[in-house]
Amino acid sequence: MINTPDFERIKAMVLDCSSKIRVRKYGCSVVTLSPVEVTNRCASNCDFCGWRADNTQMGRVTIDEELVDIQTQYLLEKGVQDIELVGGDDIRFVRVLPALLRRLRSRLPTGVSHLLFSTMALTELQYQTLAACGADGVIMWQETYDESVYNHHISRGPKACGIDEEFRIVKNGNGFLFRLQSQDRAAQAGLALSVGSMLGLNKDVAFDVLATIHHARYLCTTYAPVRPLIIGMPTWNEITTPETDKRPEQILDIEKCFSFFASLYLLALSDLNIWVFPTCRVSMTAHIEAVRVAGAYTSTEVKTGPGGYLVDALRNADSRVRQTITEKLHGKFGEESISANALLKRLDEIEQFKHYHYPHETFARALAVAGIKIANRDGAGTLSAV
């Protein structure tokens, strides 16, 4: 259908129908999330990712609790509602995550902001620990629901084999199945859920879209989540080390199709408690169109590398605080002195992938022009069936 002469006419009809349902279901509001990347160290090899273990050209950085806290407060003060703590498939990150969650939980507005995390797939007991430490939900994309495609692109590490209760990689484990069933384990632990497949990674795009819909429906009907189940729309983008870019050939014009897929997700799942989640991996034009016709959840200001917001977050900080933090960052890069612009460039170079970046307020204005207002979760419109 996508490559037929009738696609634009069909797309217009789908978007029109979806936008009407979106207004009836959510009104004109959207809830926002920004990721705070804690580390870009990773033990898995996913050939579409800049952080993969064998990418020796990627600079590796892990930031401490103080630097995570500074960036979180910066985003909350700007008006971002939810925070997602992110690390590569790094066992050290998962081990320190409980303490980090407890620290941030004490700083977030109660009942207003949600605290989510994105890690490798975990066991039910590990999810229970994170929930007890203050996590509200988990962000987890399956990448693809075709096991052969998954295994072709993901060759080693926790993502390829799964882990045990001691965070050890399971020898000859089935990472595809361990990840697929992770949502069930997270649900049993009381966490909010998310599903998503990487659009275009599998040449059979229709299969992955339909499988995502089926997975979402299964989770909603099985666990009846109180909090909306997130339908993610990840795409693979160019990585920040082009010489080691192993991404497969892109077969999909994602800019043309992004809002179409968002609409399909909403139309197929409009009777359930779900939020479609367009992100900044596409242009602002494509992103906002997807929010307008289907999205109830979205990212605004986004950096996809550890420390990415620090340069902006420290601009208005006390000079002594700024100097202390800057010296700490110098040490991470092995330099005694570095300008703010050079530091920002270094931080951008260790991002997971290239993407579009706008300040939160710029994105908020663009959403307002499209008739969408940023709201908190209590003001995000009805979640009932339509």
Side-chain angles (χ1 to χ4, degrees), residues 14-315:
V14 169
L15 265 59
D16 180 63
C17 183
S18 178
S19 65
K20 292 174 182 176
I21 290 177
R22 188 219 184 279
V23 172
R24 287 165 55 193
K25 190 172 177 68
Y26 309 119
C28 296
S29 60
V30 68
V31 175
T32 59
L33 169 142
S34 286
V36 176
E37 316 278 343
V38 180
T39 180
N40 66 352
R41 291 185 168 89
C42 190
S44 292
N45 252 8
C46 308
D47 60 12
F48 47 82
C49 181
W51 286 358
R52 66 180 187 274
D54 69 0
N55 187 3
T56 57
Q57 291 194 19
M58 175 63 64
R60 306 292 178 170
V61 171
T62 299
I63 61 174
D64 61 24
E65 288 186 16
E66 181 184 16
L67 299 185
V68 173
D69 200 344
I70 288 171
Q71 293 177 99
T72 298
Q73 298 309 313
Y74 162 79
L75 292 167
L76 293 174
E77 289 170 5
K78 281 207 160 191
V80 174
Q81 291 293 314
D82 292 355
I83 299 297
E84 174 195 8
L85 298 177
V86 185
D89 286 0
D90 180 21
I91 302 300
R92 288 166 294 185
F93 167 59
V94 181
R95 290 186 184 280
V96 302
L97 188 53
L100 187 53
L101 287 166
R102 285 192 293 266
R103 173 170 177 156
L104 295 183
R105 183 78 274 166
S106 68
R107 303 287 299 274
L108 264 64
T110 303
V112 177
S113 295
H114 278 199
L115 188 56
L116 303 99
F117 63 88
S118 177
T119 64
M120 80 258 313
L122 302 175
T123 68
E124 184 176 337
L125 181 59
Q126 289 160 355
Y127 281 133
Q128 289 173 353
T129 298
L130 297 179
C133 291
D136 294 294
V138 56
I139 297 294
M140 175 70 68
W141 314 140
Q142 183 62 24
E143 314 299 18
T144 175
Y145 286 88
D146 185 316
E147 187 170 1
S148 63
V149 176
Y150 183 98
N151 291 332
H152 175 74
H153 291 296
I154 301 169
S155 58
R156 86 178 204 208
K159 202 165 178 178
C161 301
I163 61 170
D164 64 16
E165 297 290 2
E166 303 300 323
F167 301 104
R168 294 174 301 215
I169 297 173
V170 177
K171 185 177 181 180
N172 299 321
N174 187 328
F176 172 83
L177 190 60
F178 188 73
R179 193 173 183 89
L180 182 64
Q181 295 173 338
S182 67
Q183 301 291 351
D184 295 85
R185 299 191 296 273
Q188 296 287 358
L191 292 166
L193 308 177
S194 57
V195 298
S197 51
M198 186 168 287
L199 297 171
L201 181 63
N202 183 358
K203 292 183 179 180
D204 190 347
V205 180
F207 172 82
D208 268 344
V209 170
L210 291 172
T212 300
I213 291 168
H214 179 76
H215 194 190
R217 184 165 292 279
Y218 156 76
L219 291 169
C220 284
T221 55
T222 302
Y223 300 105
V226 174
R227 290 168 290 195
L229 184 145
I230 304 303
I231 312 296
M233 300 184 62
T235 65
W236 80 71
N237 293 31
E238 292 181 39
I239 66 174
T240 55
T241 56
E243 300 85 357
T244 58
D245 197 334
K246 293 183 178 180
R247 292 171 306 128
E249 181 183 0
Q250 175 62 279
I251 61 169
L252 192 65
D253 185 345
I254 195 62
E255 289 285 316
K256 181 175 74 172
C257 301
F258 196 67
S259 59
F260 176 71
F261 288 128
S263 296
L264 290 182
Y265 285 140
L266 179 58
L267 290 172
L269 298 165
S270 62
D271 60 316
L272 300 173
N273 187 9
I274 61 98
W275 283 356
V276 178
F277 178 29
T279 68
C280 66
R281 299 192 188 203
V282 295
S283 69
M284 181 183 282
T285 299
H287 185 165
I288 288 181
E289 182 180 51
V291 174
R292 181 185 64 80
V293 300
Y297 201 46
T298 195
S299 55
T300 53
E301 184 167 350
V302 168
K303 288 288 188 175
T304 65
Y309 307 100
L310 281 171
V311 172
D312 289 327
L314 292 172
R315 291 192 192 281

